[in-house]
Every structure is written in C-alpha cells, then in structure tokens.
Amino acid sequence: MHAKKPLSEQVIVVTGASSGIGLTTAQMAAERGARVVLAARNGAALAEVEAAITAKGGSAVHVIADVGERADVERIAARAVAAFGGIDTWVNNAGLTIYGRLTDVPDADHERLLRTNLWGTVLGSLVAVEQMKARGGALVNVASVAADLAFPLQGMYCASKHAIQGFSDTLRMELLEAGTPVSVTLIKPASIDTPLPQHARNYTDREPKLPPPVYPPAEVAEAILSAAVNPRREIYVGGAARAMSAFKSLAPNTYDRLGPAISALQRRSERPRDPEGALYATKPDGRARGDHPGYVMRRSAYTRGSLHPLPTAILAAGLSAAAAMILRRGPRR
C-alpha cells in the first residue's frame, strides 16, 4: 500500500468521536494539523469537542448522526465535502457492547448492536469509498482483538467484530481488483481504557470491567493516524492482542476452556450493575478515558515498534524464516 498525504494536509472523518478512541483520535489528528469531521449521536458532547479543538487553533466540524442509518452517514460525507472540499481518511470507530449470555439478551438488543457495530462500519465504508475513489484515500475500520477471539458475556460484540473483519478483507480485495486507490486497514485493539464498559447494556449482576492488560486510547489513535498516512492491512494494538490471537490459533480447544476465567475477569466485585447503557440513548460523553479499576499500561512497545517500517520488516523476515523452517521439517507425529 502506498503512502498517503501527510496528516497536516488531510481531511479526516471520525465516527464515534464523542468519547474514547474516537475522541482521542480526533484530538490528536487536529493537533497534527488535520481538518477533522466529528460524528456521533451525542450533539452536546460533539459541540464541546469541536469547541475545544478550535480553541487550540485546530479545524473541526461536527455532525449528529446514527451510523446505522445510511441517510445519516451520507450527511457526514456531505458535511465533510461542504466544509473542507473532500475526504482523505475515514475512520469507522463507532461501537457498543452488551454484557450478558447470548440466551439472556433480547433479540432487539442483539439487532441494535449489530446495526451500530457492523452495519455502521458497512455503511461508513461504502459511503467513504464512493467519496474517495476518484482522488484516493484511506479507510480505517476499528474492530477489536475480538475479531480473532471470542469472549463469554460479549457474544454478539465478538460476532460483530468477526463480521467487520470479513467485510473489510473482502472490500480490500475488491478495491485492489478494481484498481481503486483506497486502502483498507483493520485495527485490532486489546482492552482499552475507554468508557465502553459504562456505555454497555448489562445483563450480568455486576458492573463490567475490561480484562487486563489494559492500554490507553492514545495507543489506538497512534495506530489509526499511522494507517491514515502509511496504510497497513491490519494493526494489533497491544502486544497482548497479538499474543492472545496467536495462542487461540495454536490451541483453540485450550482457549475455549478459559471461558470461566475470562468471564470472571470482566466483572467488578465492588460495584453493582448499571443495566441501561447507551445502546438506545446516549449517555454523558466527552471523556476519552474510562475508570478501569486496575493498572493501565502507559504504552505498547509492540504496537509502537510495529508502526515503523524497519522493525516490521525485520519481524516479517523472522516470521517467514521460522515458517520456512517448520515447512522444511515437515509434520511431526
């Protein structure tokens, strides 16, 4: 994939920009000179984010939108074109989760989650490609390590992230086949300290929490902004994400038996549950960080290293050599 414009020359659309990863990405992009289009359902929070960016000399506009509705997504694109003349990078970040066993969650909740997480990514991608295909651009879809893994109590969330990976991979292939100059990068973060647990609809008996290790949202924002300039096929955020994905691939049956432990890691013992979440109505936003009760890593050395071409090339060469050695040895009995 070829390098794109510098961030300082880009127009970047960010969905889910009222909190968490989206908010952090928008702020960092504006600080680096990009013109930013903020999109989310919470208009009050977006207005505050826009005002904070412009007060620091940045350039931003906001659009109140539900990414599960095509008309809303098309309004985001139209606002970007009207305000800044076009789109260079589109970041599909909006997402929600539900805590509860699949059999305990009503069908309507499952459908609503899929409409935001999956359908929002599909609509955002298709609208973005249509806008960017003439002059080129970068599409960045924020999935999760849950695109590779399954977690008890977040079944439909995992299903949505698996589907985002399948959709993104297919779209990338079709764009390459057609010669369309739009890159597609899939971001796979580990646990990130955002308000996601507080925004979740919850059918368990306790307030949810993120399983460790937990990383700050700035690590994901760095990966997204790197992909806007130097696109990659996919980027894992947090060495734990890459390690757990590899472990599951090597020992899937063993991973399945970790279900009870994973469930326990997602439930806080000191706080009763808040059942509603932001599935149907927005909650107070404007916060990048959550309130994870444990330690939050300062950064991910793995991710920072993987974003630079030389370490990535060395790593790829090492993995290729290891794979070749295994193939030469042949299967073991």
Side-chain angles (χ1 to χ4, degrees), residues 220-304:
V220 189
E222 287 287 358
I224 292 169
L225 297 180
S226 175
V229 178
N230 295 297
R232 308 284 181 84
R233 188 177 188 279
E234 62 182 24
I235 302 172
Y236 286 90
V237 179
R242 189 69 187 91
M244 288 301 292
S245 178
F247 172 72
K248 195 253 184 169
S249 296
L250 291 170
N253 291 331
T254 302
Y255 180 83
D256 288 348
R257 295 190 185 100
L258 296 176
I262 296 172
S263 294
L265 287 171
Q266 296 181 94
R267 301 167 76 175
R268 297 173 74 154
S269 60
E270 79 280 8
R271 184 182 294 180
R273 70 188 182 108
D274 173 13
E276 294 303 318
L279 190 64
Y280 295 102
T282 60
K283 293 177 72 73
D285 278 345
R287 291 192 303 129
R289 301 291 289 261
D291 66 350
H292 181 65
Y295 178 72
V296 178
M297 307 284 285
R298 292 184 62 187
R299 64 173 54 197
S300 167
Y302 168 85
T303 303
R304 296 297 180 112

Side-chain angles (χ1 to χ4, degrees), residues 60-135:
V61 296
H62 75 271
V63 183
I64 303 170
D66 182 338
V67 295
E69 301 294 335
R70 175 174 274 274
D72 283 19
V73 177
E74 289 176 342
R75 281 196 300 104
I76 298 171
R79 183 73 173 112
V81 172
F84 302 125
I87 301 166
D88 298 294
T89 295
W90 184 295
V91 182
N92 286 311
N93 165 75
L96 298 161
T97 192
I98 299 171
Y99 286 84
R101 298 193 180 279
L102 288 168
T103 52
D104 294 338
V105 178
D107 293 346
D109 287 4
H110 285 319
E111 183 178 351
R112 176 60 193 176
L113 182 143
L114 288 172
R115 176 159 288 279
T116 297
N117 292 13
L118 174 58
W119 198 239
T121 298
V122 169
L123 292 174
S125 297
L126 298 179
V127 170
V129 167
E130 183 64 27
Q131 286 292 332
M132 295 189 294
K133 67 181 182 181
R135 66 178 193 175

Side-chain angles (χ1 to χ4, degrees), residues 146-157:
D148 297 345
L149 307 176
F151 302 126
L153 304 181
Q154 293 191 77
M156 199 55 66
Y157 174 82

Side-chain angles (χ1 to χ4, degrees), residues 313-325:
I314 294 171
L315 178 61
L319 291 174
S320 298
M325 185 178 297

Side-chain angles (χ1 to χ4, degrees), residues 145-192:
V145 70
D148 297 345
L149 307 176
F151 302 126
L153 304 181
Q154 293 191 77
M156 199 55 66
Y157 174 82
C158 295
S160 72
K161 299 303 183 177
H162 276 62
I164 288 170
Q165 172 159 299
F167 168 78
S168 299
D169 288 350
T170 304
L171 178 61
R172 184 188 302 109
M173 293 173 71
E174 292 182 354
L175 294 175
L176 287 169
E177 181 183 19
T180 305
V182 177
S183 61
V184 180
T185 299
L186 190 66
I187 308 291
K188 296 181 177 180
S191 295
I192 306 298

